[in-house]
Amino acid sequence: MAWARQTLVAFGALIFAIPALAQGSAPRCSTSELATLPISYDEVSRPVVTVSLNGKSERLIVDTGGVFSMLTWKTVRDLRMDEHYLNTKAVYMLNGSSAHYFVNANGLGLGAVTVPRFPFVVMPADWTLSDADGTIAPDLFAKYDVEFDFDARKLRLFPAGCGSPPSGQISHFVALPIRSDEHALMHVNARVDGTDVDAVIDTGSGQSVLRLDAADAVLGRPVRESERIHTGSGTSLGWDVYRAPFHELRFGQVLVREPELYIMTNKLEDVRQYGALRHYWLPNRVEPPQLIIGMSVLLKLRLFISYKSSILYAAAGTT
């Protein structure tokens, strides 16, 4: 499915609770931006930026819900990059398939910012992108403060640690309580129709998705066969997908009425693997978050992320 999510391997115990900040108490940063990258959107509204990779222009999805930045096999072959085995690591996609190789980019250009050497995981062969060559994830851009201005179609990078939007813009934003795990994934406490769920902010997903067991808890009943809109087949399209009516989604001070949420089966529930990340012992179950807040919601917002300070700011978009 074109809007299916990227890598989610394990979720850690590093938790930082950040209360919403009053306007006057937020730290200010007057340092000018390091780079501005134009954003385009793929067929399911995921943000795509053009970068320089080994001297060639490539289109990469900006994926705040990914653990690793990734390239398709086609991109790796077109750039004649050398593949290396991941050894004890196994990177699982949400469809249950796994990636086993990585490559090193000798030069990665993000507008005015140049990263001399950066590793990318190679996507499994059955995981393809129709309108992009790969993804960039928090393993890259968590080194910066990042602003998504979806209306203006701009991605802006600032020095890490500014902690808040530039002076003069802070009044337009509210600070959302978030938890940042060891992979820099942004978790928020969300409520769907009054039921608490753990959610991840994910620009790499075109849709917002409830895990099947979480949907059952919200609905107070199992999903019905009449609510199934897609029957999974094979590996890459293996999810069963359902639609049911939901009335309200809240996270922080953001309220979405009549949210469009897809319900999907959990393809990782049978994954058993030791050492999927080096030095980590995974429990018996490897699970995606209960709720993925994707671009169907985020496109209506303007986001400023300070990974170093573990703060997410949000403002209403102008459209």
Side-chain angles (χ1 to χ4, degrees):
M1 300 172 65
W3 47 266
R5 262 289 304 115
Q6 298 293 328
T7 307
L8 286 174
V9 184
F11 296 95
L14 286 178
I15 296 177
F16 303 93
I18 306 298
L21 300 180
Q23 176 180 338
S25 63
R28 303 299 178 87
C29 181
S30 60
T31 306
S32 59
E33 63 199 50
L34 299 173
T36 300
L37 287 80
I39 290 176
S40 60
Y41 296 100
D42 71 0
E43 59 189 6
V44 290
S45 298
R46 295 177 297 190
V48 179
V49 295
T50 299
V51 306
S52 173
L53 191 61
N54 286 4
K56 295 186 178 180
S57 293
E58 304 291 345
R59 289 168 48 81
L60 303 182
I61 294 170
V62 185
D63 184 8
T64 61
V67 175
F68 302 104
S69 299
M70 309 186 82
L71 296 176
T72 65
W73 272 108
K74 180 180 184 305
T75 305
V76 169
R77 296 290 165 78
D78 288 347
L79 294 177
R80 301 180 183 274
M81 304 176 83
D82 295 327
E83 304 105 27
H84 307 279
Y85 195 65
L86 284 169
N87 297 323
T88 60
K89 298 180 182 179
V91 179
Y92 287 97
M93 314 297 281
L94 279 189
N95 64 357
S97 61
S98 58
H100 297 279
Y101 297 91
F102 75 97
V103 294
N104 288 307
N106 294 323
L108 172 61
L110 305 166
V113 172
T114 300
V115 180
R117 186 174 177 85
F118 188 78
F120 287 86
V121 171
V122 183
M123 293 179 178
D126 64 354
W127 193 279
T128 59
L129 300 174
S130 61
D131 195 28
D133 305 302
T135 68
I136 51 175
D139 61 339
L140 172 63
F141 51 76
K143 299 175 176 64
Y144 309 95
D145 285 355
V146 184
E147 181 184 8
F148 290 92
D149 191 341
F150 296 121
D151 282 340
R153 293 176 174 253
K154 300 291 184 184
L155 172 70
R156 300 183 179 94
L157 301 179
F158 296 86
C162 286
S164 69
S167 183
Q169 299 183 30
I170 183 69
S171 62
H172 301 293
F173 289 83
V174 295
L176 300 183
I178 68 169
R179 309 184 308 279
S180 181
D181 65 22
E182 73 269 31
H183 306 302
L185 299 184
M186 293 178 292
H187 294 253
V188 298
N189 293 323
R191 292 176 65 85
V192 179
D193 291 351
T195 299
D196 293 330
V197 293
D198 175 57
V200 165
I201 303 295
D202 186 2
T203 59
S205 177
Q207 302 296 337
S208 298
V209 180
L210 261 179
R211 205 174 66 202
L212 181 61
D213 59 315
D216 290 347
V218 172
L219 294 169
R221 59 168 175 81
V223 296
R224 302 185 177 108
E225 280 301 308
S226 60
E227 294 168 330
R228 186 197 301 257
I229 62 172
H230 173 81
T231 300
S233 61
T235 302
S236 60
L237 295 177
W239 298 277
D240 293 336
V241 184
Y242 302 81
R243 286 291 305 277
F246 298 99
H247 304 294
E248 185 176 281
L249 165 64
R250 289 180 179 269
F251 56 101
Q253 298 181 53
V254 177
L255 169 64
V256 181
R257 298 191 185 280
E258 308 300 328
E260 183 182 60
L261 303 180
Y262 287 83
I263 302 167
M264 293 176 61
T265 50
N266 179 9
K267 293 293 289 185
L268 295 183
E269 61 185 353
D270 295 325
V271 170
R272 306 285 192 275
Q273 180 71 31
Y274 169 73
L277 288 175
R278 196 184 304 272
H279 307 310
Y280 283 78
W281 171 269
L282 293 187
N284 287 335
R285 288 171 63 88
V286 182
E287 293 185 332
Q290 293 177 307
L291 173 63
I292 292 171
I293 300 177
M295 289 300 293
S296 59
V297 171
L298 301 177
L299 195 60
K300 304 174 179 67
L301 302 173
R302 182 177 175 183
L303 304 177
F304 185 96
I305 308 164
S306 179
Y307 284 97
K308 185 175 181 180
S309 302
S310 297
I311 301 175
L312 169 67
Y313 285 86
T318 58
T319 60

